[in-house]
């Protein structure tokens, strides 16, 4: 585990295992559609995705749900920001979108008074938070792009700069991420396909980055 996750860099595998056990870290199995935490819950630790997929979402006053992020990559750290905010409950909810397995690491593991391992985890957390800040900045750029075509173009260039064949998230999830109606998203994707801006085959998409970038200027 220590060689796979940026949070555990520089920590001996045996020392890490003993430390996490003593702190009360444990694996959790979360069935699909079940919530890991909800808005207003107290943050008691962070989570690391071992298997499956989870989605962070925000509900407005009318009950409309907007997807903030979706994690599928193993060893992704999430829910970490709230550990370092005094008396701040979660502003978002998080649920499993498929059967998932998580590692829960309690807040106590980041108390420097617990020794060298805890101090290393705190130092490593800076890199984790920086990566998340970069992602959120990129999402702001996507959402402020203007037209739906430009939002799609910016998103595609962000997640796949090479333009090589890759799989889009499903239409509902992508519509939530871009904060646009799903029917309009589908129509715009097909329009971009007909115009040769993207090559769309089901959920598979590829494109010429220079051609797509021309939309943005």
């Amino acid at each position: 585990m220590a060689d796979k996750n940026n949070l555990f860099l520089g920590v001996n595998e045996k020392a890490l295992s003993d430390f996490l056990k003593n702190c009360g870290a444990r694996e959790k199995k979360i069935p699909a559609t079940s919530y890991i935490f909800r808005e207003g819950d107290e943050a008691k630790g962070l989570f690391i995705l071992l298997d499956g997929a989870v989605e962070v979402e925000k509900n407005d006053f009318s009950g409309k749900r907007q997807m903030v992020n979706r994690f599928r990559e193993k060893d992704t750290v999430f829910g970490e920001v709230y550990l370092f905010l005094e008396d701040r409950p979660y502003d978002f909810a998080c649920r499993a979108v498929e059967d998932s397995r998580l590692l829960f690491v309690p807040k106590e593991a980041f108390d420097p008074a617990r020794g060298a391992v805890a101090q290393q985890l705190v130092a490593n957390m800076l890199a984790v938070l920086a990566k998340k800040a970069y992602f959120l900045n990129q999402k702001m750029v996507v959402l402020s792009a203007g037209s739906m075509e430009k939002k799609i173009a910016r998103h595609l260039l962000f997640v796949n700069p090479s333009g090589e064949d890759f799989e889009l998230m499903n239409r509902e999830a992508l519509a939530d991420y871009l904060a646009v109606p799903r029917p309009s998203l589908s129509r715009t994707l097909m329009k971009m396909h007909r115009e040769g801006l993207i090559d769309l085959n089901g959920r598979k998409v590829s494109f010429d980055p220079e051609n797509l970038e021309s939309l943005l200027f």
Side-chain angles (χ1 to χ4, degrees), residues 3-196:
D3 60 346
K4 295 180 180 179
N5 196 300
N6 288 337
L7 182 60
F8 301 138
L9 288 178
V11 183
N12 173 271
E13 188 80 33
K14 178 65 165 56
L16 176 65
S17 178
D18 291 344
F19 177 80
L20 292 177
K21 182 178 180 180
N22 290 335
C23 286
R26 59 191 184 277
E27 286 192 13
K28 292 186 173 186
K29 293 183 178 180
I30 311 295
T33 74
S34 296
Y35 278 87
I36 299 157
F37 56 80
R38 296 178 182 270
E39 293 180 52
D41 285 353
E42 178 187 355
K44 297 181 178 180
L46 60 74
F47 301 88
I48 298 174
L49 181 64
L50 303 179
D51 288 297
V54 301
E55 188 172 281
V56 180
E57 63 185 35
K58 179 72 174 178
N59 295 297
D60 63 21
F61 290 112
S62 66
K64 182 179 179 181
R65 180 177 66 90
Q66 180 179 348
M67 185 183 75
V68 178
N69 208 342
R70 175 174 287 195
F71 302 119
R72 286 188 175 277
E73 185 177 350
K74 290 183 179 180
D75 294 304
T76 295
V77 177
F78 63 96
E80 73 287 350
V81 172
Y82 293 87
L83 293 187
F84 302 95
L85 299 175
E86 289 294 330
D87 301 320
R88 180 76 181 189
Y90 291 116
D91 295 301
F92 304 92
C94 182
R95 63 185 178 89
V97 293
E98 58 187 58
D99 290 347
S100 301
R101 188 167 58 92
L102 313 174
L103 176 65
F104 170 74
V105 182
K107 186 175 185 177
E108 291 73 22
F110 299 91
D111 180 359
R114 297 187 72 99
V117 174
Q119 293 164 15
Q120 185 64 53
L121 295 189
V122 171
N124 291 345
M125 181 60 71
L126 291 174
V128 173
L129 292 173
K131 185 176 180 180
K132 291 292 182 68
Y134 173 76
F135 172 85
L136 291 175
N137 181 66
Q138 290 300 312
K139 184 170 183 180
M140 286 178 60
V141 171
V142 169
L143 295 181
S144 64
S147 70
M148 194 177 305
E149 279 192 349
K150 288 184 177 182
K151 287 182 180 181
I152 293 170
R154 284 202 183 276
H155 171 67
L156 293 177
L157 289 165
F158 173 50
V159 299
N160 186 34
S162 70
E164 295 178 358
D165 192 55
F166 80 112
E167 187 171 292
L168 282 173
M169 62 180 81
N170 66 53
R171 299 290 172 87
E172 181 180 2
L174 183 57
D176 285 343
Y177 177 81
L178 297 176
V180 298
R182 180 180 174 181
S184 299
L185 172 68
S186 295
R187 287 194 298 270
T188 304
L189 285 170
M190 293 309 300
K191 178 176 179 288
M192 294 173 73
H193 173 72
R194 290 193 302 270
E195 293 175 349

